Amino acid sequence: MSNVKETIKSSDGIIINDCWNRIGVWGNEKPRCPELDKVIHCANCKVYSSSGRLLLDRAADPQYIKTWTEQLKQIKKKKDQNSLSVVVFRIAEEWLALPARLFQEVVDMRVVHRVPHAKSSVLKGLVNIRGELQLCVSLGRLLGVDKRTTASDDATQGIYARLVVFSDSENRYVFPVSEVKGIHRYGFADLQNVPATAEHSATNYMKGMLDLSDKHVGCLDETLLFSALKRVMT
């Protein structure tokens, strides 16, 4: 420390008797502090430690608090950006998305075997995925977007390009899609409200909308979706 011969005064007016700078191990005055014979070094002295506590316990400067508050807000906002990920896909002409953690794989379209006397119109049948028979459901029919009255050929003919395998902690389902766009990352602030003018029933299962270049993507609420699937399958 520097050799000063006056007390330390903090920015908020607290005065500290910095005897260690004047008559302690860092000072040049003679005689030296008699307490050094007992404690050897100023760092072991009660005066030194109590002065340190006094400085640490003082009220924080308002400008200091304001500065750090603004910095922490910026850090949190930055972390929130692109903190969520969804898989974007298309059914008929509707672009939808579900959390990426629910998806297990995307496979080529294959034969779906109908289940005789099935009561649910959402159940398309059974499909073989890597040697296991899985329930294949029509997500489009459940959401009311599988109308087959759109301009594109695949939607008109009901031809789906891919089968998507997804699951929660209890159930596993397969559903056909017209197209898989891929994974998209976004932040909470990017999620917009579902338009009040939307008419099809898919809006009942959406928690928000995302703008993805020229596409409006409906983010599905997985809790509502799985609950509905369980209900219609029983």
Side-chain angles (χ1 to χ4, degrees):
M1 292 186 179
S2 61
N3 181 24
V4 296
K5 294 193 175 185
E6 57 184 21
T7 56
I8 298 176
K9 186 175 183 179
S10 66
S11 59
D12 53 358
I14 296 178
I15 298 177
I16 302 297
N17 181 17
D18 62 327
C19 57
W20 54 88
N21 278 328
R22 292 177 282 105
I23 60 174
V25 293
W26 294 290
N28 294 325
E29 288 189 1
K30 302 296 182 179
R32 298 177 68 197
C33 177
E35 289 296 317
L36 288 175
D37 294 335
K38 302 176 183 179
V39 299
I40 301 176
H41 195 282
C42 289
N44 302 319
C45 178
K46 292 182 178 179
V47 176
Y48 183 83
S49 58
S50 62
S51 297
R53 283 196 299 270
L54 185 61
L55 287 172
L56 292 174
D57 291 341
R58 72 188 188 278
D61 182 74
Q63 185 59 40
Y64 175 84
I65 295 177
K66 181 179 179 181
T67 300
W68 273 101
T69 300
E70 292 300 323
Q71 290 187 15
L72 291 174
K73 282 183 178 178
Q74 293 175 4
I75 292 174
K76 184 176 181 180
K77 183 177 180 181
K78 184 176 181 180
K79 286 184 177 180
D80 178 56
Q81 293 176 350
N82 300 332
S83 60
L84 303 172
S85 60
V86 291
V87 173
V88 179
F89 56 91
R90 178 173 61 86
I91 296 179
E93 293 298 306
E94 192 75 21
W95 285 98
L96 303 165
L98 277 167
R101 57 182 171 77
L102 298 177
F103 287 77
Q104 295 187 344
E105 60 181 318
V106 179
V107 300
D108 291 332
M109 188 62 192
R110 55 198 61 182
V111 178
V112 178
H113 303 278
R114 294 188 178 277
V115 178
H117 310 296
K119 297 181 180 180
S120 174
S121 61
V122 174
L123 177 62
K124 294 180 69 67
L126 298 173
V127 62
N128 188 326
I129 303 295
R130 302 189 183 279
E132 294 184 10
L133 290 178
Q134 303 292 339
L135 292 174
C136 183
V137 297
S138 174
L139 204 59
R141 183 167 296 176
L142 175 68
L143 300 177
V145 297
D146 191 19
K147 298 300 183 183
R148 301 185 186 181
T149 57
T150 57
S152 63
D153 292 337
D154 59 346
T156 303
Q157 300 300 323
I159 300 174
Y160 295 93
R162 294 288 185 272
L163 285 176
V164 173
V165 184
F166 75 127
S167 69
D168 61 359
S169 58
E170 299 178 0
N171 300 283
R172 191 181 189 209
Y173 297 103
V174 179
F175 67 92
V177 297
S178 305
E179 182 182 350
V180 177
K181 183 69 175 177
I183 296 177
H184 176 70
R185 300 187 66 85
Y186 70 98
F188 287 105
D190 300 324
L191 199 61
Q192 303 173 10
N193 293 329
V194 179
T197 55
E199 296 180 356
H200 55 69
S201 59
T203 57
N204 297 328
Y205 299 93
M206 291 182 188
K207 56 185 176 182
M209 301 288 294
L210 288 174
D211 279 333
L212 183 59
S213 61
D214 59 338
K215 299 176 179 62
H216 298 293
V217 180
C219 287
L220 296 171
D221 187 314
E222 65 271 23
T223 302
L224 294 177
L225 183 64
F226 277 109
S227 177
L229 283 173
K230 292 176 185 178
R231 187 167 59 252
V232 299
M233 298 295 287
T234 55

